[in-house]
Amino acid sequence: MKLGTRQRGITLLGFIAVLAVVGFFAFLAMRLFPVYSEYYSVVSAMKGLQTEPGIATQTPERIRDLLNRRFYISYVESVKPSHVKIARSGNGYNLTIKYEVRKPLAYNLDFVAKFDKTVELSRQGAVD
């Protein structure tokens, strides 16, 4: 190394600070990922039910049963029967699932995620 040149790089203290910030966001991602993964399973089950042939002619009880079977396969545990609403619409049903998930984050801190999704189960596109 020549005299008069400076070394460049991060100091140990700077490295620890960067590592702490990256670790914090990685921790948040590990806590939040399962909740959002489950939500995407719920949406997938709802969209799958929407494409089911003849779904608009089924009874609400049968629709709930089909939905619960899809939830069982996808390991959806946060959605309870009281969170599922099936309402008659013009040419079928509106399926609404509204729920919230409360999970511990760290020590006495919790996070709450609220989800609300509605799909239309109509006769359009259904094959009878």
Side-chain angles (χ1 to χ4, degrees):
M1 177 166 58
K2 295 181 183 178
L3 290 175
T5 61
R6 291 182 37 152
Q7 291 185 351
R8 295 179 183 253
I10 191 167
T11 64
L12 179 61
L13 192 58
F15 177 71
I16 291 173
V18 168
L19 193 62
V21 170
V22 169
F24 175 73
F25 284 109
F27 174 75
L28 282 179
M30 287 188 296
R31 289 293 193 170
L32 294 175
F33 178 76
V35 173
Y36 282 97
S37 176
E38 184 179 52
Y39 171 69
Y40 289 122
S41 294
V42 169
V43 171
S44 175
M46 292 173 77
K47 287 184 179 180
L49 200 60
Q50 190 177 26
T51 61
E52 188 84 21
I55 193 66
T57 61
Q58 301 293 327
T59 64
E61 293 80 22
R62 177 71 178 147
I63 293 171
R64 283 182 193 277
D65 182 53
L66 291 170
L67 188 64
N68 285 333
R69 289 175 188 218
R70 290 175 186 265
F71 286 169
Y72 180 76
I73 291 170
S74 300
Y75 300 106
V76 174
E77 297 174 350
S78 296
V79 178
K80 306 298 179 218
S82 61
H83 300 145
V84 178
K85 304 288 185 226
I86 301 172
R88 179 62 92 177
S89 70
N91 58 348
Y93 294 100
N94 281 334
L95 173 62
T96 302
I97 298 180
K98 185 176 182 180
Y99 68 104
E100 73 176 36
V101 179
R102 181 178 301 262
K103 297 273 184 163
L105 185 62
Y107 300 107
N108 61 347
L109 295 176
D110 290 349
F111 73 89
V112 178
K114 294 183 179 185
F115 301 103
D116 188 357
K117 178 73 175 171
T118 301
V119 296
E120 185 178 343
L121 308 176
S122 65
R123 294 178 188 181
Q124 298 171 347
V127 180
D128 290 328

